[in-house]
Amino acid sequence: QVQLVESGGGLVQAGGSLRLSCAASGRTFSDYNMGWFRQGPGKEREFVAAIYRGGTLRYYEDSVKGRFTISRDNAKNMVYLQMNTLKAEDTAVYYCAADHLWPVTTIPDYWGQGTQVTVSS
């Protein structure tokens, strides 16, 4: 069992920034690839970003390239999503995910409960 808890969501204006955090339980955090997904109102859950076990590779959905940055700190069992130049289209519930497979573009092994990000125009 892996427990994932997201934080850092909130309401921001378009063009602003937010940093999401995901805290993972257990001592096997470094064995997992980590990712972020999101689900907007009336939409399917979609992939946003992923980072390889050791942080050597990163993978982004096209719409967030150049604006979002995923990172991890294995010593602290943490993964982050720095979101810059936010758009209204980024409004969604953001979910942290853990998966042994790479890339994290399908169904992960574990999900967090989600944190709401709302971007106003």
Side-chain angles (χ1 to χ4, degrees):
Q1 286 287 105
V2 175
Q3 299 291 330
L4 304 172
V5 180
E6 302 96 332
S7 62
L11 174 64
V12 297
Q13 293 184 357
S17 298
L18 280 176
R19 189 195 195 200
L20 304 183
S21 298
C22 175
S25 66
R27 60 190 297 273
T28 60
F29 175 74
S30 61
D31 292 338
Y32 287 89
N33 308 298
M34 300 297 297
W36 290 93
F37 290 72
R38 66 186 181 185
Q39 186 168 18
K43 299 179 180 180
E44 296 182 353
R45 190 173 298 184
E46 66 175 354
F47 169 79
V48 176
I51 186 166
Y52 196 64
R53 289 162 151 133
T56 56
L57 293 174
R58 293 174 175 84
Y59 187 82
Y60 297 96
E61 195 273 327
D62 287 342
S63 68
V64 307
K65 287 181 179 177
R67 299 190 298 121
F68 291 10
T69 302
I70 187 170
S71 61
R72 67 189 297 162
D73 187 339
N74 287 348
K76 297 181 179 179
N77 283 15
M78 296 288 292
V79 61
Y80 308 97
L81 185 68
Q82 179 67 47
M83 305 184 295
N84 298 328
T85 319
L86 284 161
K87 306 174 181 179
E89 293 76 27
D90 296 318
T91 295
V93 177
Y94 283 71
Y95 297 90
C96 181
D99 202 338
H100 281 94
L101 300 178
W102 179 261
V104 191
T105 56
T106 55
I107 300 176
D109 294 335
Y110 301 100
W111 295 101
Q113 80 287 349
T115 185
Q116 177 70 49
V117 172
T118 302
V119 184
S120 61
S121 301

